[in-house]
């Protein structure tokens, strides 16, 4: 026989699994059938107006909370959405790259002063200088006398003037590559001819362009000169007592002599002679003269008689060793900039007829370079003595 024989009631639960069978076994994988007709759920009004909820929302069910009532038909495991207030969004902090980029944009717009800002932001000591001050020597060599001397010596020359009663030797500072040189008026005063020797030993003839005896300044110009190394003129208004300085000149004809010291005082009143006849006897290290340079300060005369016609100027005082022949030479700051023209020195010599006892005792004076710069236009035009 082809049909199978089944026992009565063997597949009743399979054919109608939701029919109540009190004696049928219950499959634990199937949920129990509802004991009542499910009531259609009413739409929840709050869900229509529910705002967008951040992921911090918490889903809760009454079933999970233990609720099993059959009150309004919304029970029995219906999910309820409970939104916790989302925390305010925090402003995203800008990273250092974005901040530096902003600084760079501002730097391009406003220029100087940004290096310090970048240093503060990065915490690094790398500072790119934006100042107009020139550093003649590398920043790592600032204050190094050897480096300063090597950089500036080519710009300092020896000046020899032939006088009616002998010769006068002093120094000068090259300020243009074409051969303009600043020196002291008393070095070339009354000169019949002037010869200049550069640091490499070359000799040139020079002529006087202009003089200013009231400031003890003179401008001379080399003939047939080009390609010379001009000195960098600094800012004497920024000089402070205690600053390191270097002096370069030709004391007693010793070309390129270098000494060093500090700035001892500012704004010293130095009085010098303006008489041309007196100037012929004031040359430093001269032959046939008295070999001393007279000047006054503090109400006293030094190194001879200044005569009846004098002028007074403000000077930088230094303890860098100066000797006869340094007049007109360079006083240099720690970065290699010219901050003064050496003009006078105190000597312990008591006999003005001999220069053998004249020597530096740590009291030297220089005309501030800002005074020189302010006088340049007048000197190029012939000076106040013309």
């Amino acid at each position: 026989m082809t049909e199978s024989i089944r026992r009565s009631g063997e597949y009743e639960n399979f054919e109608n699994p939701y029919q109540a069978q009190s004696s049928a076994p219950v499959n634990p994988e199937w949920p129990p059938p509802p004991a009542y007709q499910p009531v259609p759920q009413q739409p929840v009004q709050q869900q229509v107006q529910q705002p967008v909820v951040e992921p911090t929302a918490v889903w809760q069910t009454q079933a999970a909370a233990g609720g099993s009532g059959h009150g309004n038909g919304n029970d029995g495991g219906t999910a309820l959405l409970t939104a916790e207030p989302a925390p305010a969004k925090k402003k995203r902090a800008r990273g250092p790259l974005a901040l530096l980029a902003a600084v760079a944009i501002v730097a391009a717009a406003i220029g100087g002063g940004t290096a310090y800002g970048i240093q503060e932001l990065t915490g690094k000591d790398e500072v790119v200088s934006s100042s107009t001050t020139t550093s003649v020597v590398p920043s790592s060599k600032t204050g190094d006398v050897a480096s300063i001397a090597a950089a500036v010596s080519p710009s300092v020359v020896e000046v020899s003037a032939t006088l009616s009663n002998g010769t006068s030797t002093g120094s000068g500072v090259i300020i243009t590559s074409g051969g303009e040189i600043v020196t002291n008026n008393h070095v070339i005063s009354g000169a019949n001819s002037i010869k200049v020797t550069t640091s490499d030993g070359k000799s040139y003839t020079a002529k006087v362009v202009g003089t200013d005896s009231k400031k003890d300044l003179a401008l001379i110009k080399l003939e047939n000169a080009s390609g010379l190394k001009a000195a960098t003129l600094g800012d004497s208004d920024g000089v402070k007592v205690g600053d390191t300085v270097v002096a370069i000149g030709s004391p007693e004809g010793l070309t390129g002599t270098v000494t060093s010291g500090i700035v001892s005082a500012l704004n010293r009143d130095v009085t010098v002679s303006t008489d041309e006849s007196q100037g012929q006897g004031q040359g430093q290290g001269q032959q046939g003269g008295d070999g001393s340079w007279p000047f006054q300060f503090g109400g006293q005369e030094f190194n001879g008689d200044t005569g009846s016609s004098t002028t007074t100027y403000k000077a930088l005082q230094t303890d860098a060793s100066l000797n006869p022949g340094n007049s007109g030479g360079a006083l240099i700051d720690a970065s290699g900039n010219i901050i003064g023209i050496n003009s006078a020195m105190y000597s312990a010599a008591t006999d003005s007829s001999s220069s053998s006892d004249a020597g530096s005792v740590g009291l030297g004076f220089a005309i501030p370079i800002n005074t020189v710069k302010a006088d340049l236009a007048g000197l190029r035009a012939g000076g106040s003595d013309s």
Side-chain angles (χ1 to χ4, degrees):
M1 295 179 65
T2 58
E3 62 264 339
S4 60
I5 300 174
R6 64 181 177 87
R7 296 174 184 173
S8 176
E10 185 175 1
Y11 297 107
E12 281 81 0
N13 288 338
F14 175 78
E15 293 175 354
N16 188 7
Y18 293 101
Q19 183 176 355
Q21 299 289 336
S22 57
S23 61
V26 178
N27 188 344
E29 296 182 359
W30 286 82
Y36 56 90
Q37 185 68 25
V39 179
Q41 297 182 3
Q42 298 296 325
V44 180
Q45 297 298 328
Q46 291 181 350
Q47 292 181 351
V48 176
Q49 299 177 355
Q50 194 74 15
V52 178
V53 180
E54 295 292 335
T56 54
V58 178
W59 290 85
Q60 295 180 347
T61 62
Q62 289 188 3
S68 58
H70 306 285
N72 57 6
N74 291 331
D75 302 334
T78 302
L80 297 180
L81 182 61
T82 303
E84 294 182 357
K89 290 185 178 180
K90 292 185 179 179
K91 212 171 193 180
R92 186 176 181 181
R94 294 186 178 183
L97 292 179
L99 191 54
L100 288 177
V103 172
I105 294 174
V106 176
I110 64 175
T114 58
Y116 175 76
I118 294 176
Q119 177 186 356
E120 289 297 307
L121 291 171
T122 60
K124 296 181 179 179
D125 294 330
E126 298 175 1
V127 180
V128 181
S129 174
S130 61
S131 172
T132 58
T133 302
T134 302
S135 182
V136 178
V137 299
S139 58
S140 61
K141 297 293 185 180
T142 299
D144 181 70
V145 176
S147 299
I148 295 170
V152 184
S153 288
S155 302
V156 182
V157 299
E158 179 184 300
V159 179
S160 297
T162 301
L163 310 174
S164 59
N165 61 341
T167 60
S168 171
T169 301
S171 305
V173 177
I174 301 171
I175 62 171
T176 64
S177 61
E180 281 189 331
I181 294 174
V182 171
T183 186
N184 285 139
N185 177 64
H186 74 260
V187 171
I188 54 88
S189 180
N192 298 320
S193 64
I194 302 172
K195 184 181 76 171
V196 171
T197 304
T198 57
S199 63
D200 58 2
K202 293 182 180 180
S203 295
Y204 297 87
T205 298
K207 63 179 181 179
V208 177
V209 176
T211 60
D212 186 351
S213 60
K214 293 181 180 179
K215 295 183 177 67
D216 195 19
L217 290 173
L219 182 68
I220 62 177
K221 177 73 163 58
L222 304 185
E223 296 180 350
N224 303 317
S226 63
L228 301 178
K229 184 176 181 180
T232 300
L233 306 185
D235 180 9
S236 53
D237 288 344
V239 174
K240 301 183 295 296
V241 173
D243 283 352
T244 298
V245 290
V246 174
I248 302 178
S250 301
E252 305 291 354
L254 300 174
T255 304
T257 296
V258 178
T259 58
S260 64
I262 63 169
V263 175
S264 303
L266 306 174
N267 300 317
R268 289 295 197 201
D269 287 329
V270 174
T271 301
V272 298
S273 174
T274 59
D275 290 339
E276 182 175 309
S277 59
Q278 182 78 350
Q280 293 180 3
Q282 294 168 355
Q284 304 284 0
Q286 66 176 322
Q287 298 174 0
D290 61 13
S292 61
W293 168 231
F295 69 98
Q296 298 177 359
F297 77 91
Q300 303 179 58
E301 290 187 354
F302 299 93
N303 304 338
D305 184 9
T306 56
S308 59
S309 180
T310 61
T311 185
T312 301
Y313 58 83
K314 300 290 186 180
L316 302 174
Q317 181 181 328
T318 175
D319 70 349
S321 180
L322 301 180
N323 291 283
N326 273 113
S327 286
L331 187 68
I332 312 157
D333 68 11
S335 296
N337 302 296
I338 310 298
I339 57 170
I341 300 297
N342 297 319
S343 58
M345 62 93 188
Y346 168 75
S347 172
T350 56
D351 184 1
S352 62
S353 64
S354 173
S355 63
S356 60
D357 294 330
S360 175
V361 293
L363 290 175
F365 302 91
I367 301 169
I369 200 62
N370 285 6
T371 300
V372 178
K373 290 191 289 187
D375 206 30
L376 272 179
L379 290 173
R380 285 173 172 144
S384 61
D385 297 337
S386 58

